[in-house]
Amino acid sequence: MAALIIDVALDIVSATLMLTGAVFVMAGALGMLRLPDFYTRLHAAGVTDTLGAEMIVIGLMLQTGWSLDTVKLALLGLFVFLTSPTATHATANAAYKAGLKPVLTRFRPRGDDGKGGAR
């Protein structure tokens, strides 16, 4: 009886994590469509991709139990956790150095708008 309760609880937690991760991924996809410029779209994709993917991977780890598949999923989650923010930062930095200016900005470099200083 206790094993059945634990299995049902694991299924509920796993399904909740995977559904929440899917919602984050969908929010990132919506941000990619709705946000106005490259940097805001990149932010939406980077943040939600990392969080959404991690939640889905953790939900899958709960479904697989203690096995080699769990270790593989943990390594996959660690890889995504380390590389996704790094790739997002490198992409944004390369775009900025290539001269792509943000459309939405609170602060502009001195001399950029002719008035000098931050707004």
Side-chain angles (χ1 to χ4, degrees):
M1 184 68 178
L4 179 65
I5 292 173
I6 291 173
D7 285 343
V8 170
L10 279 177
D11 287 343
I12 291 171
V13 171
S14 173
T16 302
L17 283 169
M18 288 192 282
L19 285 175
T20 305
V23 167
F24 276 109
V25 171
M26 291 298 292
L30 184 65
M32 291 287 293
L33 294 174
R34 300 278 308 182
L35 293 175
D37 70 344
F38 175 77
Y39 295 103
T40 54
R41 289 177 185 163
L42 191 63
H43 175 73
V47 171
T48 58
D49 180 43
T50 303
L51 184 59
E54 289 298 322
M55 293 184 87
I56 291 171
V57 167
I58 291 171
L60 289 173
M61 287 171 59
L62 290 177
Q63 282 294 309
T64 57
W66 293 108
S67 66
L68 182 60
D69 294 335
T70 305
V71 175
K72 291 177 183 176
L73 286 169
L75 290 174
L76 176 72
L78 180 67
F79 180 74
V80 169
F81 183 75
L82 293 176
T83 58
S84 182
T86 305
T88 302
H89 175 75
T91 304
N93 193 31
Y96 187 76
K97 288 192 178 196
L100 182 64
K101 300 289 183 200
V103 172
L104 300 177
T105 181
R106 182 184 298 181
F107 301 102
R108 293 184 189 271
R110 287 189 185 270
D112 194 31
D113 58 358
K115 298 177 185 173
R119 289 188 196 190

